[in-house]
Amino acid sequence: MTGASRGIGRALAQTLASYGHDLVLVARDTDALRCVARELRKRYGVKASALPADLATRDGLAVVAETAATADILVNNAGAALGAPFSRTAWDGDRSNENSMLALNVTAPTCLIHAALPRMQERGFGRILNIGSVAGTGPVWAASTYGPSKAYLLGLTQSLALSSEIRTSNVRLTCLVLGHAVSEFHEQAGLPPSPRMLTLPTHFVADTAVRAIHRRRPPTVYVPGVRYKVLNFLLTHAPGGLTRIPGLVTDLTTVEK
């Protein structure tokens, strides 16, 4: 699983280990990753190895893809966001941060699914959990490429899950549509702290998501928590004008780094 060194990724790794799964943990922070691997081995008695890699680079992605091809469960959790609007990542400026974000949110999960899916079909079993965002279901992260990148991951999950070759197999894909959770994600992106009333406990998210993919027929889209189920429904089904109500939409033009 990717992005396993902290936050939601670490919680997902702990929950998967509690189910008895051996794990290959991927992240850039070598020391943090090895610490998590040691913790899982000691606490749960599973095999847990650290695979430090930068998924925003071609070499790092290639190494992880080799491992993904052997996985029964692939978790695409690594991702990033930017605390700046689209106008500040202009083509004539420094777009390195935006390029890295799109590499993590779009290119990396696509490549890893390409590597894992055919082998899962050959073995007759597989689960793929993609960590999406409520920002991918509507304009809740306005003026940024983050929301569209998560919309892509949601769309890719649905497109593959509904295909005849997947529906007739024992391979299932699920997109976890996540809202605010207790993690370092927003701080790293340069964004304001999450509203307390919309913040979900990290382990609640991890426990319910892992339970969902262990069902005989896992859901294609999984939204944890009643609050986000309601918000996701509104963003998906409400008339377009309602999704622009202040409070539903986060306009990054007001965010200062």
Side-chain angles (χ1 to χ4, degrees):
M1 68 167 295
T2 67
S5 60
R6 54 179 56 87
I8 294 294
R10 181 171 182 165
L12 285 166
Q14 291 170 338
T15 304
L16 285 166
S18 73
Y19 276 68
H21 293 293
D22 296 331
L23 298 167
V24 177
L25 309 174
V26 178
R28 290 181 298 177
D29 189 332
T30 302
D31 292 339
L33 202 60
R34 289 174 176 168
C35 179
V36 175
R38 285 195 300 270
E39 173 195 344
L40 298 182
R41 291 193 297 266
K42 181 178 180 179
R43 184 174 180 181
Y44 300 104
V46 299
K47 296 179 181 177
S49 58
L51 180 59
D54 185 351
L55 291 171
T57 67
R58 179 175 297 182
D59 291 343
L61 186 55
V63 170
V64 178
E66 290 183 7
T67 299
T70 67
D72 289 328
I73 298 177
L74 170 65
V75 180
N76 284 311
N77 172 69
L82 291 177
F86 187 79
S87 60
R88 297 185 193 172
T89 55
W91 283 100
D92 58 352
D94 181 8
R95 297 187 61 253
S96 58
N97 288 336
E98 186 176 57
N99 287 338
S100 294
M101 181 192 73
L102 294 175
L104 281 176
N105 294 358
V106 175
T107 305
T110 303
C111 179
L112 298 183
I113 293 171
H114 266 303
L117 195 56
R119 296 289 295 276
M120 289 179 175
Q121 290 174 287
E122 291 174 5
R123 293 191 298 268
F125 178 84
R127 296 289 185 266
I128 297 176
L129 177 62
N130 296 319
I131 309 304
S133 171
V134 70
T137 62
V140 296
W141 205 305
S144 167
T145 48
Y146 174 76
S149 73
K150 289 300 183 179
Y152 168 83
L153 191 58
L154 174 61
L156 177 63
T157 304
Q158 293 173 312
S159 177
L160 294 174
L162 295 174
S163 66
S164 59
E165 63 175 345
I166 297 301
R167 286 190 289 109
T168 56
S169 73
N170 195 24
V171 178
R172 296 289 178 264
L173 294 92
T174 298
C175 185
L176 170 63
V177 177
L178 186 60
H180 295 284
V182 180
S183 72
E184 302 88 349
F185 182 80
H186 288 78
E187 180 181 349
Q188 291 175 343
L191 296 169
S194 305
R196 183 179 297 274
M197 66 175 294
L198 289 177
T199 300
L200 297 174
T202 304
H203 282 284
F204 165 78
V205 174
D207 292 347
T208 56
V210 171
R211 191 181 310 128
I213 66 171
H214 278 85
R215 298 176 190 170
R216 189 175 67 87
R217 303 289 293 185
T220 301
V221 177
Y222 180 72
V223 185
V226 175
R227 287 165 289 183
Y228 281 103
K229 283 182 169 64
V230 172
L231 179 57
N232 182 69
F233 179 85
L234 290 174
L235 290 170
T236 304
H237 299 288
L242 292 179
T243 64
R244 295 178 177 86
I245 296 175
L248 287 183
V249 176
T250 300
D251 189 347
L252 287 184
T253 59
T254 65
V255 174
E256 296 291 340
K257 292 191 72 176

